[in-house]
Structure formats: C-alpha cells, structure tokens
Amino acid sequence: MSNQTQNAPRRSAPGDWPQVRTVGVDGLLVSFGNSLSEPANRAALAFRAALDTSTPDGIEETSTSLVSTYLRFDPLHTDHKELRGKVQAMLDRQDWYKASLPSGRRAWRIPTVFGTDLAPQLDEAAAAAGLTRDEAITSISESRVRVQTIGFAAGQPYLGELDPAWDIPRQKALTDRVPEGALTVAIRQLVLFSVSTPTGWRHIGQTAFRLFRPESDTPFVLRPGDEVRFDPVSRERLAAMQDDPDGGATSKVLT
Amino acid sequence: MSGGLIVHRAGPSLTLQDLGRPGYLGFGLSRGGAADRLALAEGAALLGQGDDLAALEMAGMGGDFEAAQDLRIALTGAPMRAAIDGTRIAWNASHALPQGAKLTIGGAETGSYGYLHVGGGFTAPQQLGSCSAHLASGLGTLVQAGTQLDIAQDHAPGMVNRLLPVNSRFEGGEVRVVPSLQTDFFPESEVARFEETDFKRDAKGSRMGVRLTSDDIGFHSDAGLSVLSEVVVPGDIQITGDGTPFVLLSECQTTGGYPRIASVLPCDLPKVVQASPGASLRFRFISLDEAITAERHATAHRKALRGMLAPLVRSPHDIRDLLAYQLISGVTAGDEL
C-alpha cells in the first residue's frame, strides 16, 4: 500500500481545507471540507466554473459533488504533479469559500404527496428524526432547500440543508426500488429520484416531476443553486398532474 | 427500410454500444458505453475502422441475425458459439456476411460480454451525442427480435478473414488497483485483508457493476452510513452497508455514499467486466506511477492491434460449399494497406 499518506485527508485537522486528492488513475478531487456546509458547496461550484473557464491543458471533464470539484484528465498527456501544481495555483488565487452562487438560479415549487402508500417510509423517517408525522411534513415542506449538486443519476438533485433533526443515517439494507419522482431523506438532505432505482434513502414523498428529459432541448431540468420547496398535495391532485412533465411544478428566476 | 442487419432472435440483453457520452458527469449522467472498451478497439482493428463506431454488445448470449445487404462482421469479447449458415466461424476474427446469410451466435463459452461489429458500424438515433444504450437512465433500448439495425457506409469492404490473437481476459485472475480518495476510510488491516482475499465474481452483475463474493466476512469501514456522497468513477470498488464489495462499471452512478476501498486500473477493468460468473479475482495495490506506466502500455497495445492481425486460415473441411467460393478474385481490395 504505497500512496496512503498522499491520499489521507480524513484525520487532518480542520483548517487543512481545501485538499486535493486523486480519484482512480485519471482524476483529481478538490474538496472544500469533509462535511456539508454552505460555503464549501459554493466554493466547489465556483471552482468548477473557474476550471471550465480557464481549462488547464489536459482536462477532459469536470463536475461537482456536494463540497468537491472533480476533474478528469489524460494522465498520459499531463502528469499528476504538473496538474496538481496548476490546480493548487488556482486554489491560492482567491478565497473560494466567499464565492457567490451561480447566476440564473431559479426557485421551484414542486407538488408532493407526503406518506400514503405512494411514499411508505414517512412514518419511519419521522420516528428516526424524533418527529411526529405532521411535524415531519411541516418541517420538510416549509424548508426552502437548495440544489447542492446533481448526481448519482441523470438530472438527480441532492437538496439541503434540512434541520439538524434530519441528521438520520441511510438504511443499512437497500430498498429494492423507489419510483421516478420519489422524494427521499437522509443526513439532512433530500434526494429527488430521476429514475427508478434501489436506494438506502427513506422514501417520504412522491412527485410527478421529470428531472431528465433526453428528448428535450434542456434534458437536465434542475441546476446546482436552484431553490426548491415541496408543497404538500393530495394523491388526487398529484394523479391529475401525471401527464405534465413538470408534475405541476412552477419556477421563477431568482434575482 | 432495406439493408442493415435483421435480428430474428435476441438474447436477453443486447444493446448498441460505442464509447459512450463523456461530458455529462456534472449532470449526473455517467459516460456509459461498451462495458469492455478493449473489445471495441479489437473489433475496430479487425475491420480497419475507427473504434468510435457502435457495436452490438451481447451480455451472456447472442442471437440469430440475417444480413439484409452484403456485410463484413467481426466478433470480439467473450467467445460465443457462432456460425454462418450453419458453419462454425472463428471468434476474434472478421468474416464476410453476404446478403441473405444467417448468422447465429449462442451463449458465452467463457466470459460475459460478446461483441458483434459490422463494417461501417451500426447507426441509431443519437441522444446526447451517442447511440449507446444507457438503460439505467432511460436512454436507448434493448435490441429485440424483429428489429432491423441500420449500418453506416463501410469504407473498407474488401477486408475480411482476419484473425486477431487475443490474450484471454475471461477467467479472472489478478487485477491491479490504486488507492483512491476513500481508501483511508478503511483501517489498514481491512485494506490488507481485502488484498489477500480470494473473491469470486457473483452471477449477479450488470453494466452498472459486479458483485464480489468471498468466504470471508464483509469489509468494515470507519465511515459508517453517514458519509457524504462523493464522486464515483468506473473501476471504483464500493463497499455496501453489509460489507460486500461491488466493482462499478461504465454505467455506474456518478456519485455515491458507500465508501470505496480502491479503484481498478482502466486497463484492467475488462478483466473484471469479462470474468465469467464464479471466476476468481484478486486485487493488488500498485502505486500511481506504476498505474500510469501500465496505462501507457495498454494504450500502446491498443494502437498496435492492427499490426497483429493474421490471415484467418480455414480448413477446406470446414467449408461446406467450397466450389461456390470465388477462390481467385476478391482476396484483397488492395486498399487496406
């Protein structure tokens, strides 16, 4: 096991961020923290935007996760040391934690059925958070959460941050399948599923919102930085919105 | 529509695959594309064309096909029992498939994914710059019986009956890995145990990933179930909540919350992809520098494939209708060098 030290960020003291680590053979990850925070999330988004603008030679693709910026490059063309040096120089250029959010953000309202047989884990999730079912619905639906990253599946948002009560772990065993449009919760975050898939997150709400529309000019609907509220509706109202790709959702540009 | 390749019978998991869709990671869409990229390069070498053309990927089982026009084909990846009009044909080779000829491809004799390439490559409507099916994201569809697949113009129509000597990558063996961003979430003793464990490729597997089983207990990380979701790349070995390793493949998720103990070298990934169900796999950590050297060798190998082609020698006994063959002309189109 060589390279262990180079890849060992976890036991570092706070204040050692941002950190640059390798991802596989051909990737670098610039992390702005080891837990989710609003400044770290903004830093990751801003750093990716800067990479995409100045594109150091050899970079093939970039993305962000919650508090990190990822870049893939061709290690046969640009060596790790050289690229790390360029990335570090960019990091040193400014205080990325003070970067502003991306422009053109929107505020969405997405009709959601909480609980019922459509979203069978509401009670279980509420109990894990120490809330009654009604308190849970109020807490989630009154939170204005932000798209912190798009990931896991096409167009799929991680949203946060919820009240500390929602710092509940993922399930140990996977749920076999949640449907497209499922609203799920864990670790103070919501994930709205863009595909039907197995997951360890608890299924607490159901929407009719299509997040990935490959046939459309804008195949990926939500963007990092967008704000979302999940408005409680009845099963009947949701059923009436099934044919609308937006599932009754509305949006306006944030200024 | 006329021309192309008619699919009369289809195995359960046939899809068109090319090199996939790089560039959408930030939108949550993994690159996808052929599970075994080396097989794409081998097919391209056999047919004298680019490795960016789409081929038919056949998981475990092929199908029955008919040429609706004169075609050239090449077969790569997991060897399957294949015949043209009832006469057995060689794998890792290119063949003529004249209009009306029937091609049958059976189950994999070893390995997991076989590939059928055609001269010119298959064409299908592109979505986000590729015609690869990415079923997990709802892109593309399974190729089913009754389909007629379109084929683009073949630019080297004379070049057939070539054989490509291929090292087997279907029986598992040693796979090289590098430490990755979360290797350190695991105690050193667990990482060492991982390296010492004999794994078997589980029969459960898909283009998203393959599960590894062993007689040993599951692997434990200090990270628990509350670690932040972080970027995932193909080759990552994810340890799920019950301690089971999964090697993630081309159609994997783009981020994930289960910690990853190591990452397989891209050039060794075909070995994991293609391991037959039940084949043994062992993982060995190497340094990043060694990994780059290995990738350099693999790239050189892919570039050298064209120079490794040999004429496909067929025994006259295997040629049922010998007298029907044009034995003099058409041996070479003269434009393939």
Side-chain angles (χ1 to χ4, degrees):
Chain A
M1 251 321 301
S2 52
N3 218 8
Q4 178 92 353
T5 355
Q6 192 184 339
N7 266 306
R10 182 172 46 106
R11 298 183 186 99
S12 313
D16 282 353
W17 305 91
Q19 288 189 350
V20 184
R21 286 177 279 168
T22 58
V23 181
V25 174
D26 59 357
L28 287 182
L29 189 76
V30 182
S31 294
F32 293 90
N34 58 357
S35 61
L36 184 57
S37 74
E38 141 83 34
N41 181 242
R42 271 188 286 122
L45 292 172
F47 194 70
R48 180 191 180 200
L51 274 179
D52 287 351
T53 319
S54 70
T55 312
D57 198 27
I59 294 187
E60 297 188 332
E61 175 158 24
T62 65
S63 71
T64 55
S65 39
L66 293 163
V67 294
S68 307
T69 305
Y70 167 74
L71 64 89
R72 180 169 63 81
F73 67 106
D74 178 359
L76 304 187
H77 177 75
T78 308
D79 75 36
H80 274 83
K81 203 173 156 199
E82 185 186 335
L83 192 59
R84 260 179 190 258
K86 286 181 182 167
V87 164
Q88 192 59 52
M90 282 182 69
L91 280 173
D92 295 342
R93 217 165 59 194
Q94 71 178 80
D95 183 351
W96 294 93
Y97 297 93
K98 291 192 173 138
S100 45
L101 279 165
S103 56
R105 299 186 307 122
R106 294 156 302 167
W108 291 86
R109 299 193 78 122
I110 303 177
T112 308
V113 174
F114 284 92
T116 78
D117 57 318
L118 289 183
Q121 292 178 295
L122 175 65
D123 289 347
E124 184 189 320
L131 303 172
T132 66
R133 154 196 282 251
D134 287 345
E135 286 167 350
I137 295 175
T138 306
S139 167
I140 300 281
S141 62
E142 290 185 355
S143 300
R144 199 167 68 170
V145 286
R146 205 164 64 215
V147 178
Q148 294 158 322
T149 190
I150 300 288
F152 188 80
Q156 183 163 301
Y158 288 68
L159 303 126
E161 187 169 32
L162 296 171
D163 286 342
W166 290 105
D167 195 6
I168 61 173
R170 298 174 185 82
Q171 309 171 91
K172 212 157 191 170
L174 296 184
T175 304
D176 274 348
R177 203 150 273 282
V178 293
E180 184 181 349
L183 182 67
T184 64
V185 67
I187 52 171
R188 296 182 70 182
Q189 288 177 292
L190 297 168
V191 170
L192 184 59
F193 276 81
S194 68
V195 289
S196 176
T197 180
T199 182
W201 294 54
R202 288 183 176 86
H203 185 190
I204 59 165
Q206 185 60 42
T207 74
F209 192 61
R210 279 191 68 209
L211 292 155
F212 180 45
R213 305 173 191 176
E215 70 289 349
S216 147
D217 290 341
T218 48
F220 308 98
V221 183
L222 295 183
R223 297 193 290 258
D226 283 359
E227 288 182 357
V228 181
R229 280 187 68 164
F230 293 94
D231 293 326
V233 294
S234 66
R235 285 193 61 145
E236 293 69 30
R237 268 201 65 202
L238 192 77
M241 297 164 176
Q242 284 297 344
D243 292 336
D244 171 11
D246 285 339
T250 56
S251 73
K252 61 174 203 264
V253 175
L254 285 168
T255 46
Chain B
M1 189 192 78
S2 63
L5 184 75
I6 303 164
V7 183
H8 288 302
R9 186 184 60 84
S13 187
L14 302 190
T15 54
L16 290 184
Q17 296 295 341
D18 53 26
L19 290 170
R21 299 175 179 78
Y24 295 102
L25 200 63
F27 295 106
L29 180 60
S30 57
R31 182 171 170 183
D36 178 357
R37 280 173 203 282
L38 180 54
L40 277 193
E42 290 166 346
L46 279 163
L47 293 173
Q49 59 194 16
D51 65 0
D52 54 340
L53 302 180
L56 187 65
E57 182 175 280
M58 307 174 284
M61 168 76 74
D64 294 345
F65 308 93
E66 180 185 339
Q69 66 184 74
D70 287 347
L71 290 176
R72 295 185 304 140
I73 61 163
L75 300 164
T76 67
M80 296 167 160
R81 198 176 175 84
I84 294 176
D85 291 333
T87 302
R88 182 87 193 252
I89 55 168
W91 205 260
N92 292 313
S94 62
H95 307 274
L97 190 69
Q99 182 171 2
K102 303 266 174 57
L103 169 69
T104 54
I105 304 178
E109 294 173 323
T110 177
S112 291
Y113 291 94
Y115 293 83
L116 167 60
H117 313 254
V118 293
F122 291 107
T123 58
Q126 296 218 335
Q127 287 179 295
L128 303 171
S130 160
C131 64
S132 271
H134 193 302
L135 299 180
S137 294
L139 294 170
T141 54
L142 287 174
V143 171
Q144 289 175 317
T147 311
Q148 193 155 348
L149 296 168
D150 284 329
I151 293 167
Q153 164 108 39
D154 187 353
H155 294 289
M159 181 181 165
V160 290
N161 296 330
R162 300 293 200 279
L163 185 72
L164 183 65
V166 168
N167 293 332
S168 174
R169 55 178 179 278
F170 310 109
E171 293 311 316
E174 186 181 272
V175 172
R176 292 167 294 182
V177 298
V178 287
S180 199
L181 66 156
Q182 294 172 330
T183 301
D184 197 47
F185 285 13
F186 295 84
E188 276 177 37
S189 57
E190 285 293 86
V191 176
R193 188 164 69 86
F194 177 78
E195 206 171 6
E196 285 155 14
T197 301
D198 269 314
F199 293 102
K200 296 223 179 316
R201 183 198 155 124
D202 195 59
K204 246 191 225 171
S206 70
R207 293 175 35 77
M208 298 177 77
V210 299
R211 185 169 183 261
L212 303 175
T213 60
S214 75
D215 298 333
D216 222 337
I217 54 165
F219 294 87
H220 163 77
S221 88
D222 300 331
L225 296 171
S226 296
V227 65
L228 272 193
S229 290
E230 193 48 274
V231 65
V232 165
V233 297
D236 277 0
I237 305 176
Q238 156 187 289
I239 306 289
T240 52
D242 63 359
T244 307
F246 278 81
V247 183
L248 300 171
L249 304 182
S250 69
E251 211 167 296
C252 64
Q253 68 273 28
T254 63
T255 60
Y258 290 122
R260 277 139 290 140
I261 197 165
S263 199
V264 175
L265 267 59
C267 63
D268 278 9
L269 203 50
K271 221 180 202 178
V272 181
V273 167
Q274 289 288 17
S276 305
S280 290
L281 289 165
R282 279 187 77 128
F283 298 91
R284 182 166 66 87
F285 280 93
I286 61 172
S287 72
L288 202 51
D289 286 344
E290 291 169 313
I292 304 287
T293 305
E295 289 299 327
R296 213 176 282 287
H297 286 155
T299 301
H301 171 76
R302 278 197 302 276
K303 285 188 177 149
L305 288 174
R306 276 161 212 253
M308 294 160 59
L309 295 178
L312 176 62
V313 182
R314 295 208 287 171
S315 156
H317 296 292
D318 295 341
I319 306 180
R320 211 179 37 188
D321 49 353
L322 185 63
L323 292 178
Y325 275 72
Q326 271 265 28
L327 293 175
I328 310 291
S329 65
V331 173
T332 166
D335 58 358
E336 63 218 36
L337 304 170

